[in-house]
Amino acid sequence: MRLLAGCELIVEADVDCAVVAMLRPRSGDAQWLVSEHYAFDPHVRPTEFVDSFGNLCQRFVVPSGRMRIRTELEVETERSIAVAPWSAPMAPASLPGHTLQYLLPSRYCPSDRAFERAQEIVDQAGPRSGQVGAIVAWIRRHIAYRYGVSDATTDALDTIAHGAGVCRDYAHVGITLCRSLRIPARMVVGYLYGLEPMDLHAWFEAYLDDRWYTFDATQDAPRGGRIVIAYGRDAADVAFLTNYGLLQTVEMQVWVGEKQ
Amino acid sequence: MRLLAGCELIVEADVDCAVVAMLRPRSGDAQWLVSEHYAFDPHVRPTEFVDSFGNLCQRFVVPSGRMRIRTELEVETERSIAVAPWSAPMAPASLPGHTLQYLLPSRYCPSDRAFERAQEIVDQAGPRSGQVGAIVAWIRRHIAYRYGVSDATTDALDTIAHGAGVCRDYAHVGITLCRSLRIPARMVVGYLYGLEPMDLHAWFEAYLDDRWYTFDATQDAPRGGRIVIAYGRDAADVAFLTNYGLLQTVEMQVWVGEKQ
Amino acid sequence: MRLLAGCELIVEADVDCAVVAMLRPRSGDAQWLVSEHYAFDPHVRPTEFVDSFGNLCQRFVVPSGRMRIRTELEVETERSIAVAPWSAPMAPASLPGHTLQYLLPSRYCPSDRAFERAQEIVDQAGPRSGQVGAIVAWIRRHIAYRYGVSDATTDALDTIAHGAGVCRDYAHVGITLCRSLRIPARMVVGYLYGLEPMDLHAWFEAYLDDRWYTFDATQDAPRGGRIVIAYGRDAADVAFLTNYGLLQTVEMQVWVGEKQ
Amino acid sequence: MRLLAGCELIVEADVDCAVVAMLRPRSGDAQWLVSEHYAFDPHVRPTEFVDSFGNLCQRFVVPSGRMRIRTELEVETERSIAVAPWSAPMAPASLPGHTLQYLLPSRYCPSDRAFERAQEIVDQAGPRSGQVGAIVAWIRRHIAYRYGVSDATTDALDTIAHGAGVCRDYAHVGITLCRSLRIPARMVVGYLYGLEPMDLHAWFEAYLDDRWYTFDATQDAPRGGRIVIAYGRDAADVAFLTNYGLLQTVEMQVWVGEKQ
């Protein structure tokens, strides 16, 4: 399907503020960037580098005052996504080297402290259910989708304790439980067609059957219509805007529509 | 300056033909990709990978019949470029590791066979002229710009022997002579504002004073208004279209204008 | 100086256990691997890959029963190390792209929650002291070196709260406080000549004046005689042995001596 | 099998000469570096970097006078190697992205000028023979192994014209013919057990059935007992010693034996 998506941010700084933005998707196996517009008002001179996960990162300095950052995209992507709810985890010795970093605990996904919880979840789900499928089902039953209960310091164990969170917290819980069962799992941020209310979104991927599969516990059924912006170990790696100084986001709009 | 550039290719295949295109510039230190449109008619499902030089490469299969490939760009770039005509080569021991591959001979730049020629050029130019400046001046005096004398098998020594060639041949000669004097040099392909007649263009960069400098022997003075698409050792690495099967380019248009 | 170092591990598994070891140093700017021996008894068929930090990682399966892993090294390294106690942090906009990942919070270094503490430390130290120097001095005064108070789940905030820890905890506290002040900081593991009691060691590096500097709060003065095995964001990235299954380390010996 | 191998070079420079050596193998899927010694007399301070092919490269300056460079290795490798003489080439669209650079022409492998020759060879071999097998058989029949007919400027077409060459030339011819048939092929240098006379050796690998296979036209049957030092497009990328200044190799010894 062909999506028209984008976002507009208005930020404000009292003094010049260095930032790194991650707002430029890359074409890959599952999406093709047909068209893109990415501009700043006032214009600055951004540079771009590729981080260790392969994401494109835009660096620039927000001058004092207001700045508008606007990106518009036309992307060809999949209407439906491959699913693997019943797949068994791969034996660790069979995992490709590049997936092993996604087994390690990270800032928001302390998987070294979640083994008992994960084991309990898959035991209760029974042998016929896939482990990641069981994890997603458990998150949907036990974590309420609610704004305002989490912030930038909330990790997956906090969210399990609270019993509530937003898309980023759902993803952190899913990743943490997968990793504690030795299933490589990574954070994904991007756009999702039909999301309500519309915003930038976060979900996760798990490595099963020698490929990455998409999982999104915020949705009651697997859904395509996704545009990936960035991959990482958790939210620390994939912030759409990291500011190295004081910066206020005055306004943010996100849109995703299907091209007719 | 703000450039509007792009190209449209019409290709024709009797049977499905796998290709790799290099038509997507990346934002970097000297250029910012404000806007881009990249589409195929009929639509295919391209994938994209990054080669060992950091270039974005688009892979797809041209189905039998005609196909239109069209890319449109809006890019912020420099009106004038940094020049370093008098810079001395760096001592080999001081060169960063990543530049050393650009000292090696390559398919179209057999620098292992050009030392005497290069030495003669810089000797005649005298000590006050920079080595790369002397090479560019020599190319302008001794190689005529002429179509039809070179083809896809012509290397820099052939061009020096013929005494004529096009932009790609000029770049190969410059690269070859630089490398034989132990100056790292690499091929660049992209767009040049004001080029006559308009086409995709090729030039080279040499590593001096701990940075890359642009050199273009097809021009009588240093000129900016450039959009870089790809870097490589020589033309073999940066073809805008590599076909693994029979494919005809029926038509090709290139345009570059300044945005008002 | 020329060091002879090495370690021997005896591990025991009831059933085959996949592991990743990080026990092979690489030659780099500050150390040269003159001689190395790395063997397994019983012999297995390890493979090796390079992780995203550039570390060499050895993968193999420990068969059921006992296994001896032994590595011996001869390394040329520095007797004294460069120090930069008074250097001011670099402006974020001037940091090279590759250092930015070392500003992000990680599993054991939740720098997003340590800003007030770090600010208090540098404020009390006064303007004439460098920020990283002030952090190291504070750690030495406020964290006792003591075994048994920390384990594999202890992060830097836990250690600050406890007021005690071992080398790994010292490094995590140093890294966390640096990052919260926007100074890139990374974990280092390796060998240290003269360490008492001898063991594999951990310390950290901070990026100042456009290069990495070594800091080690477990020592009362800057000391060389170091062999780096691996770099990472924190201990999660640089475990000398990661086991994906049940594995017991029955015995471990480490030695470092100066070659006469 | 367990090999003990190594080499000793004595070089001589009148003035300091910067060099890059490639003499350190890496452990990988097919070989394990059990033990290594790599030293210089007089001692210098080498640094090491990884090139774009993943090879370890040692940089140092040879001081004026004589220098001894000595490396000793103990390596576990395969006694016999996998063969694929009848495998058909993969369809270009199925090749992994990382193999595509090994389809491009390079300095010593001008595959853009060898298609007719390659086609003739496989046509004459008939449909039951694999293409790479046919190429190797043709080289063995038509290229005599002889010293002194080739030098550092000899490419594969020169060798085909001469009808004679050494291991490096054999590899260049094999690579060139493979690439012209759209089979990815790369240069390999290293040690071969039982080689007569003993020296550093060169051979090639071709990508078939989704993996690299070893081919060595200097041998009358597939043989293992190999230690890979480096991979590249051709000999330009994998020289065991590249000197950026005047340097004489006064003496060179190479040895490979089986450990008892």
Side-chain angles (χ1 to χ4, degrees):
Chain A
M1 71 191 301
R2 188 64 65 94
L3 296 180
L4 295 170
C7 68
E8 184 172 300
L9 280 161
I10 298 178
V11 294
E12 204 171 78
D14 284 338
V15 293
D16 287 9
C17 177
V19 302
V20 173
M22 295 174 87
L23 287 170
R24 198 192 293 277
R26 275 183 50 189
S27 291
D29 287 348
Q31 66 186 17
W32 174 254
L33 197 53
V34 178
S35 188
E36 190 197 26
H37 181 81
Y38 192 161
F40 304 88
D41 179 21
H43 181 66
V44 287
R45 298 179 49 101
T47 60
E48 194 167 78
F49 69 99
V50 181
D51 70 14
S52 70
F53 303 99
N55 303 308
L56 299 174
C57 304
Q58 300 86 44
R59 291 183 77 177
F60 52 94
V61 174
V62 175
S64 68
R66 286 212 165 189
M67 182 188 219
R68 180 190 310 260
I69 304 169
R70 184 181 170 93
T71 169
E72 295 169 58
L73 307 163
E74 181 179 336
V75 177
E76 182 71 29
T77 186
E78 303 292 323
R79 191 176 295 274
S80 59
I81 52 170
V83 292
W86 304 285
S87 288
M90 294 176 66
S94 305
L95 290 168
H98 65 88
T99 65
L100 296 181
Q101 68 171 313
Y102 297 108
L103 287 175
L104 300 173
S106 59
R107 169 65 185 89
Y108 300 110
C109 302
S111 48
D112 52 312
R113 297 173 59 204
F115 173 69
E116 281 78 11
R117 172 74 66 177
Q119 196 58 52
E120 177 199 296
I121 290 170
V122 300
D123 284 352
Q124 289 184 351
R128 276 187 302 188
S129 193
Q131 296 194 357
V132 189
I135 287 168
V136 168
W138 183 88
I139 294 171
R140 290 190 56 74
R141 270 200 311 277
H142 294 280
I143 311 290
Y145 199 94
R146 199 179 310 145
Y147 291 94
V149 297
S150 59
D151 63 23
T153 70
T154 306
D155 71 19
L157 300 187
D158 296 331
T159 298
I160 291 175
H162 285 320
V166 295
C167 61
R168 150 197 168 112
D169 305 305
Y170 274 56
H172 285 155
V173 173
I175 292 166
T176 302
L177 295 169
C178 284
R179 287 184 191 163
S180 71
L181 298 172
R182 299 196 185 110
I183 301 168
R186 65 181 179 183
M187 187 84 171
V188 191
V189 291
Y191 297 91
L192 172 60
Y193 174 64
L195 186 67
E196 289 279 347
M198 182 47 67
D199 203 347
L200 289 175
H201 190 50
W203 60 92
F204 74 102
E205 291 185 355
Y207 199 83
L208 299 167
D209 298 335
D210 237 350
R211 55 159 286 189
W212 292 104
Y213 282 93
T214 295
F215 291 92
D216 186 345
T218 68
Q219 303 299 311
D220 55 12
R223 288 175 56 183
R226 291 170 192 272
I227 302 171
V228 173
I229 298 177
Y231 297 101
R233 290 204 197 166
D234 62 26
D237 296 327
V238 295
F240 63 87
L241 199 67
T242 301
N243 48 307
Y244 302 108
L246 291 174
L247 189 77
Q248 280 204 304
T249 299
V250 177
E251 204 185 306
M252 176 163 182
Q253 283 184 55
V254 179
W255 59 93
V256 183
E258 186 166 4
K259 193 181 183 187
Q260 299 309 326
Chain B
M1 71 191 301
R2 189 65 64 94
L3 296 179
L4 296 170
C7 69
E8 183 171 300
L9 280 161
I10 298 178
V11 294
E12 203 171 77
D14 284 338
V15 294
D16 288 8
C17 176
V19 302
V20 173
M22 294 174 88
L23 287 170
R24 198 192 294 276
R26 275 183 51 189
S27 291
D29 286 349
Q31 66 186 18
W32 173 254
L33 197 53
V34 178
S35 188
E36 190 196 27
H37 181 79
Y38 193 160
F40 305 88
D41 178 22
H43 181 66
V44 287
R45 298 178 49 101
T47 59
E48 196 167 76
F49 69 99
V50 181
D51 69 14
S52 71
F53 303 98
N55 302 308
L56 299 174
C57 304
Q58 300 86 46
R59 292 183 77 177
F60 52 94
V61 173
V62 175
S64 68
R66 287 210 164 190
M67 183 188 218
R68 180 191 310 258
I69 304 168
R70 184 182 169 93
T71 169
E72 295 168 59
L73 306 163
E74 181 179 335
V75 176
E76 182 71 28
T77 185
E78 303 292 323
R79 190 176 297 275
S80 59
I81 52 170
V83 293
W86 303 286
S87 289
M90 294 176 66
S94 304
L95 290 169
H98 65 88
T99 65
L100 297 181
Q101 68 171 313
Y102 297 108
L103 287 175
L104 300 173
S106 59
R107 169 64 184 90
Y108 300 109
C109 301
S111 48
D112 53 311
R113 297 172 59 203
F115 172 70
E116 282 77 11
R117 172 74 65 177
Q119 197 57 52
E120 177 199 298
I121 291 170
V122 301
D123 284 352
Q124 289 184 350
R128 276 186 303 189
S129 194
Q131 296 194 357
V132 189
I135 287 168
V136 168
W138 183 88
I139 294 172
R140 289 191 57 73
R141 269 200 311 278
H142 294 280
I143 311 289
Y145 199 94
R146 198 178 311 144
Y147 291 94
V149 296
S150 59
D151 63 22
T153 69
T154 306
D155 70 20
L157 301 187
D158 295 332
T159 298
I160 291 175
H162 285 320
V166 294
C167 61
R168 149 197 169 113
D169 305 305
Y170 274 56
H172 286 156
V173 173
I175 292 166
T176 302
L177 295 170
C178 284
R179 287 184 192 163
S180 71
L181 298 171
R182 299 197 185 110
I183 300 168
R186 64 181 179 183
M187 187 84 171
V188 191
V189 292
Y191 298 90
L192 172 60
Y193 174 65
L195 186 67
E196 289 279 348
M198 182 47 66
D199 203 346
L200 289 175
H201 191 49
W203 61 92
F204 74 102
E205 291 185 355
Y207 198 84
L208 299 166
D209 298 336
D210 237 351
R211 55 159 287 189
W212 291 104
Y213 282 92
T214 295
F215 291 92
D216 185 345
T218 68
Q219 304 298 312
D220 54 12
R223 288 175 56 184
R226 293 170 192 272
I227 302 171
V228 173
I229 299 177
Y231 297 101
R233 290 203 197 167
D234 62 25
D237 297 327
V238 295
F240 65 86
L241 200 66
T242 301
N243 48 306
Y244 302 108
L246 291 173
L247 190 77
Q248 281 204 305
T249 300
V250 178
E251 203 185 305
M252 177 162 181
Q253 283 184 55
V254 179
W255 59 93
V256 182
E258 186 166 5
K259 194 181 181 187
Q260 299 309 327
Chain C
M1 71 191 302
R2 188 65 64 95
L3 297 178
L4 295 170
C7 69
E8 183 171 299
L9 281 161
I10 298 178
V11 294
E12 205 171 76
D14 284 338
V15 294
D16 289 8
C17 177
V19 302
V20 173
M22 295 173 88
L23 288 170
R24 199 192 292 277
R26 274 181 52 188
S27 291
D29 287 348
Q31 65 186 18
W32 174 254
L33 197 54
V34 177
S35 190
E36 189 196 27
H37 181 80
Y38 192 161
F40 305 87
D41 178 21
H43 181 65
V44 288
R45 299 179 48 102
T47 59
E48 195 166 77
F49 69 98
V50 181
D51 71 13
S52 70
F53 303 99
N55 303 307
L56 298 174
C57 304
Q58 300 86 45
R59 291 183 77 177
F60 52 95
V61 173
V62 175
S64 68
R66 285 211 166 191
M67 182 188 220
R68 179 190 311 259
I69 304 168
R70 185 181 169 92
T71 169
E72 295 170 58
L73 307 164
E74 181 179 337
V75 176
E76 181 71 28
T77 185
E78 304 291 325
R79 191 176 295 276
S80 60
I81 53 170
V83 294
W86 304 285
S87 288
M90 294 176 65
S94 305
L95 291 169
H98 65 87
T99 65
L100 296 181
Q101 68 172 313
Y102 297 108
L103 287 176
L104 300 174
S106 59
R107 169 64 184 90
Y108 299 110
C109 301
S111 48
D112 52 313
R113 296 173 58 203
F115 172 69
E116 281 78 10
R117 172 73 67 177
Q119 196 57 50
E120 176 200 297
I121 291 170
V122 300
D123 283 351
Q124 289 183 352
R128 278 187 301 189
S129 194
Q131 296 193 355
V132 189
I135 287 169
V136 168
W138 182 89
I139 294 172
R140 289 191 56 73
R141 270 199 312 276
H142 294 281
I143 311 288
Y145 199 93
R146 199 178 310 146
Y147 292 93
V149 297
S150 60
D151 62 22
T153 68
T154 306
D155 71 19
L157 300 188
D158 296 331
T159 298
I160 292 175
H162 285 321
V166 294
C167 62
R168 149 196 169 112
D169 305 306
Y170 274 55
H172 285 156
V173 173
I175 292 166
T176 303
L177 294 170
C178 284
R179 288 185 193 162
S180 71
L181 298 171
R182 297 197 186 110
I183 301 168
R186 64 182 180 182
M187 186 85 171
V188 191
V189 291
Y191 297 91
L192 172 59
Y193 174 64
L195 186 66
E196 288 281 348
M198 183 47 68
D199 203 347
L200 289 176
H201 191 50
W203 60 91
F204 74 101
E205 291 184 356
Y207 199 84
L208 300 167
D209 299 335
D210 236 350
R211 55 158 287 188
W212 291 105
Y213 282 92
T214 295
F215 291 92
D216 185 345
T218 69
Q219 304 299 311
D220 54 13
R223 290 176 55 183
R226 293 169 192 272
I227 302 172
V228 173
I229 299 177
Y231 297 101
R233 290 204 198 168
D234 62 25
D237 296 327
V238 294
F240 65 87
L241 200 67
T242 302
N243 49 306
Y244 302 107
L246 290 173
L247 189 78
Q248 280 204 305
T249 299
V250 176
E251 204 185 305
M252 177 163 182
Q253 283 184 54
V254 179
W255 59 92
V256 183
E258 186 166 3
K259 194 183 182 185
Q260 299 308 326
Chain D
M1 70 191 303
R2 188 64 64 96
L3 297 179
L4 295 169
C7 68
E8 184 171 300
L9 281 161
I10 298 178
V11 294
E12 206 171 76
D14 285 338
V15 294
D16 289 7
C17 178
V19 302
V20 173
M22 294 173 88
L23 287 170
R24 199 192 292 278
R26 275 182 51 188
S27 291
D29 287 347
Q31 66 186 17
W32 174 254
L33 197 54
V34 177
S35 189
E36 189 196 28
H37 181 80
Y38 193 160
F40 305 87
D41 178 21
H43 180 66
V44 287
R45 298 178 49 101
T47 59
E48 196 167 77
F49 69 98
V50 181
D51 70 13
S52 71
F53 303 99
N55 303 308
L56 298 174
C57 304
Q58 300 85 46
R59 292 182 77 176
F60 52 95
V61 173
V62 176
S64 68
R66 286 211 166 192
M67 182 188 219
R68 180 191 310 260
I69 304 168
R70 184 180 169 93
T71 169
E72 296 169 59
L73 306 164
E74 181 179 337
V75 176
E76 181 71 29
T77 185
E78 304 292 324
R79 190 175 296 275
S80 60
I81 52 170
V83 292
W86 303 287
S87 288
M90 294 176 66
S94 305
L95 291 168
H98 65 87
T99 65
L100 296 182
Q101 68 172 312
Y102 297 107
L103 286 176
L104 300 173
S106 59
R107 169 64 184 91
Y108 300 110
C109 302
S111 48
D112 53 310
R113 297 173 57 204
F115 172 69
E116 281 77 10
R117 173 73 66 177
Q119 196 58 50
E120 176 200 296
I121 290 170
V122 301
D123 283 352
Q124 289 183 351
R128 276 186 303 188
S129 195
Q131 297 193 355
V132 189
I135 287 168
V136 168
W138 183 89
I139 294 172
R140 289 190 57 73
R141 270 199 313 277
H142 294 280
I143 312 288
Y145 198 94
R146 198 178 311 146
Y147 291 94
V149 296
S150 60
D151 62 22
T153 68
T154 306
D155 71 19
L157 300 187
D158 296 330
T159 298
I160 291 175
H162 286 319
V166 295
C167 62
R168 149 197 169 112
D169 305 305
Y170 274 55
H172 285 156
V173 173
I175 292 166
T176 303
L177 295 170
C178 284
R179 288 184 192 161
S180 71
L181 298 171
R182 300 199 184 107
I183 301 168
R186 64 181 180 183
M187 187 85 171
V188 192
V189 292
Y191 298 91
L192 172 60
Y193 174 65
L195 187 66
E196 288 281 348
M198 182 47 68
D199 203 347
L200 289 175
H201 191 50
W203 61 91
F204 75 101
E205 291 184 355
Y207 199 84
L208 299 167
D209 299 335
D210 236 350
R211 56 158 286 189
W212 291 103
Y213 282 92
T214 294
F215 291 92
D216 185 346
T218 69
Q219 304 299 311
D220 55 12
R223 289 175 56 183
R226 293 170 192 272
I227 301 172
V228 173
I229 298 177
Y231 298 101
R233 289 203 199 169
D234 62 26
D237 297 327
V238 295
F240 64 87
L241 201 66
T242 301
N243 49 307
Y244 302 108
L246 290 174
L247 189 78
Q248 280 205 304
T249 300
V250 176
E251 204 185 305
M252 177 163 181
Q253 283 183 56
V254 179
W255 59 93
V256 183
E258 186 166 4
K259 193 182 184 187
Q260 300 308 327

